């Protein structure tokens, strides 16, 4: 059974940093690309970032380019999202989602709150 | 960027009714369209990919159709567990991957 478990969320002040993690199991993590998707409170889904299985290619939403960095450690079956210069509108639940779209597997998400 | 527009924003329906949700793309996306269902407090769940291919375990009462820029998700004989928010997503022209704003299906 595929499992994706996010962690690392929390309360951070504007301008601060957080590193999210996603622990993957139940599939050959090193063979598949991965994504992060954000959902602001009471709002819809917003794709954030993508990384290929070998980390060669990464993509970002315009809203996070230059501030967020996606990475992975295939030896640890782990996906990461380093978030710097956080803004109020980065607040939301961050989901990791496996493979290229469409996203067949999602984690339960980790809540990031950016507030002073 | 491909803009996905869903309508209506909210649907109030009774169990047993047939429901049709719409999704429009700002440009042709061929058949690279998916539908997701999200219930309160839960992660989204993939329902349909490639316009009309149901994901594993999705009941046959969920039917997707359409092409190019106009797409629909139909739910026959709505069950109590079908209430929630439905999102469409295009994966034809990216980055960015884009979702529609969602349609909330609620009990009348």
């Amino acid at each position: 059974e595929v499992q994706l478990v996010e962690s690392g969320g929390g309360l951070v002040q504007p301008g601060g940093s957080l590193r999210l993690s996603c622990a993957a199991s139940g599939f050959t993590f090193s063979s598949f690309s991965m994504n992060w998707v954000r959902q602001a409170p009471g709002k819809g889904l917003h794709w954030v970032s993508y990384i290929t299985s070998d980390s060669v290619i990464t993509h970002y939403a315009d809203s996070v380019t230059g501030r967020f960095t996606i990475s992975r450690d295939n030896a640890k079956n782990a996906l990461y999202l380093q978030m710097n210069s956080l803004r109020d509108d980065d607040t939301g639940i961050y989901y990791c989602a496996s493979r290229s779209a469409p996203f067949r597997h999602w984690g339960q998400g980790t809540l990031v709150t950016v507030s002073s | 960027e491909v803009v996905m527009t869903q309508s209506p924003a909210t649907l109030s329906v009774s169990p047993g009714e047939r429901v049709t949700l719409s999704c429009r793309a700002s440009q042709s996306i061929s058949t690279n369209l998916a539908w997701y269902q999200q219930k309160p407090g839960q992660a989204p769940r993939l329902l349909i990919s490639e316009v009309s291919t149901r994901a594993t375990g999705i009941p046959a009462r969920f039917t997707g159709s359409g092409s190019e820029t106009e797409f629909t998700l139909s739910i026959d004989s709505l069950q109590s567990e079908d209430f929630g928010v439905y999102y469409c997503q295009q994966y034809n022209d990216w980055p960015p991957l884009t979702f529609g704003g969602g349609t909330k299906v609620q009990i009348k």
Side-chain angles (χ1 to χ4, degrees), chain A residues 35 37 39 43-47 50 59-60 95 101-104 106-108, chain B residues 34 36 38 41-46 49 87 89 91 94-97 99 101:
Chain A
N35 295 265
V37 177
Q39 187 168 35
K43 302 297 184 182
L45 303 170
H46 180 73
W47 171 80
Y50 162 91
H59 293 305
Y60 299 92
Y95 298 100
F103 303 143
R104 284 174 170 74
W106 299 65
Q108 283 304 300
Chain B
Y36 299 86
Q38 187 178 34
Q42 297 185 16
R45 176 176 71 149
L46 178 67
S49 63
Y87 297 95
Q89 178 201 38
Y91 48 97
W94 68 284
L97 291 161
F99 293 88

Side-chain angles (χ1 to χ4, degrees), chain A residues 11-80:
Chain A
L11 175 63
V12 61
Q13 291 187 338
S17 298
L18 273 180
R19 189 195 195 206
L20 306 184
S21 299
C22 172
S25 61
F27 67 106
T28 308
F29 179 76
S30 59
S31 296
F32 296 101
S33 56
M34 296 291 293
N35 295 265
W36 288 99
V37 177
R38 175 172 70 198
Q39 187 168 35
K43 302 297 184 182
L45 303 170
H46 180 73
W47 171 80
V48 172
S49 187
Y50 162 91
I51 187 168
T52 54
S53 58
D54 57 5
S55 303
V56 170
I57 297 173
T58 58
H59 293 305
Y60 299 92
D62 286 348
S63 59
V64 306
T65 296
R67 301 187 299 122
F68 290 11
T69 302
I70 191 171
S71 63
R72 64 192 295 161
D73 185 336
N74 286 343
K76 295 182 178 179
N77 287 349
L79 175 72
Y80 305 105

